[in-house]
Amino acid sequence: MAQERANVATFKGNPITLIGPELKVGDTAPDFRLNKNLMEEATLQDFAGKIKLISVVPSLDTGVCDAQTRRFNQEASDLGDDVVVLTVSADLPFAQARWCGAAGVDRVITLSDYKDNSFGKAYGVLIKEFALDMRAVFVVDKDNKIQYVEYLKEMTEHPDYEKPVAAVKALLS
């Protein structure tokens, strides 16, 4: 049975429960199995040798998630080839592809946690009440150690954009 963390976050001020562990800096990043499309999956190993900035959003079709993904897409252009920026949501893969096309987002890889919420459970971001992933940001180094983590306390708020980008840049120097 997965760990439940009650009252650690809210949605519009109402408490929600997150399923999975609270990961910390220094932890080994858990593996994941996410969908690139309906037939093709991606795992942590697919990004071996890269620094990974993982932006987690509930759904790309909301204002804050849209802005968050656009912002990290913009930041990705300055981070170079040793960095991959992933956006994880529970949106269906074809909805993610449609959104990226309409938004002109081309530097972020969108991955879907819709099938079994395995990413959400492993990274402690699965919202029990909604079966969506809570907004969070992780920076994982080339050795799959977590170097930065931010779990948002309120689902509708923006993450800190500067700190994860600074963490990535520190790993590049």
Side-chain angles (χ1 to χ4, degrees):
M1 180 109 165
Q3 174 186 358
E4 291 189 7
R5 296 174 6 253
N7 301 314
V8 294
T10 58
F11 172 63
K12 295 184 178 178
N14 298 304
I16 55 178
T17 302
L18 299 182
I19 296 175
E22 181 178 351
L23 301 177
K24 301 196 176 354
V25 170
D27 288 348
T28 298
D31 198 6
F32 53 74
R33 184 167 304 284
L34 294 164
N35 283 76
K36 292 182 183 180
N37 55 51
L38 288 180
M39 301 300 293
E40 189 179 359
E41 294 181 332
T43 66
L44 186 63
Q45 190 57 39
D46 291 331
F47 307 103
K50 300 270 189 191
I51 297 165
K52 294 149 289 283
L53 190 159
I54 305 172
S55 170
V56 185
V57 299
S59 174
L60 292 169
D61 285 323
T62 67
V64 177
C65 299
D66 177 295
Q68 180 175 333
T69 305
R70 287 175 191 263
R71 173 69 183 267
F72 284 127
N73 184 66
Q74 203 174 27
E75 297 287 354
S77 62
D78 297 331
L79 298 177
D81 294 337
D82 288 335
V83 179
V84 63
V85 179
L86 309 174
T87 291
V88 176
S89 76
D91 295 308
L92 293 173
F94 38 80
Q96 291 178 331
R98 176 197 46 77
W99 181 90
C100 286
V105 168
D106 58 356
R107 294 178 189 96
V108 166
I109 298 169
T110 54
L111 298 170
S112 177
D113 198 21
Y114 86 97
K115 266 190 183 169
D116 61 10
N117 301 115
S118 64
F119 178 93
K121 293 172 191 168
Y123 282 72
V125 295
L126 179 61
I127 303 169
K128 180 179 179 179
E129 292 81 357
F130 306 136
L132 296 172
D133 290 336
M134 180 64 180
R135 190 175 318 285
V137 181
F138 302 90
V139 173
V140 179
D141 69 17
K142 292 179 181 183
D143 297 318
N144 291 333
K145 293 288 183 202
I146 296 173
Q147 300 298 324
Y148 175 86
V149 63
E150 178 185 9
Y151 290 98
L152 276 286
K153 300 292 183 208
E154 167 57 48
M155 187 169 152
T156 60
E157 291 180 355
H158 287 268
D160 187 316
Y161 294 108
E162 287 80 22
K163 286 182 183 174
V165 171
V168 168
K169 288 180 178 177
L171 291 169
L172 290 169
S173 56

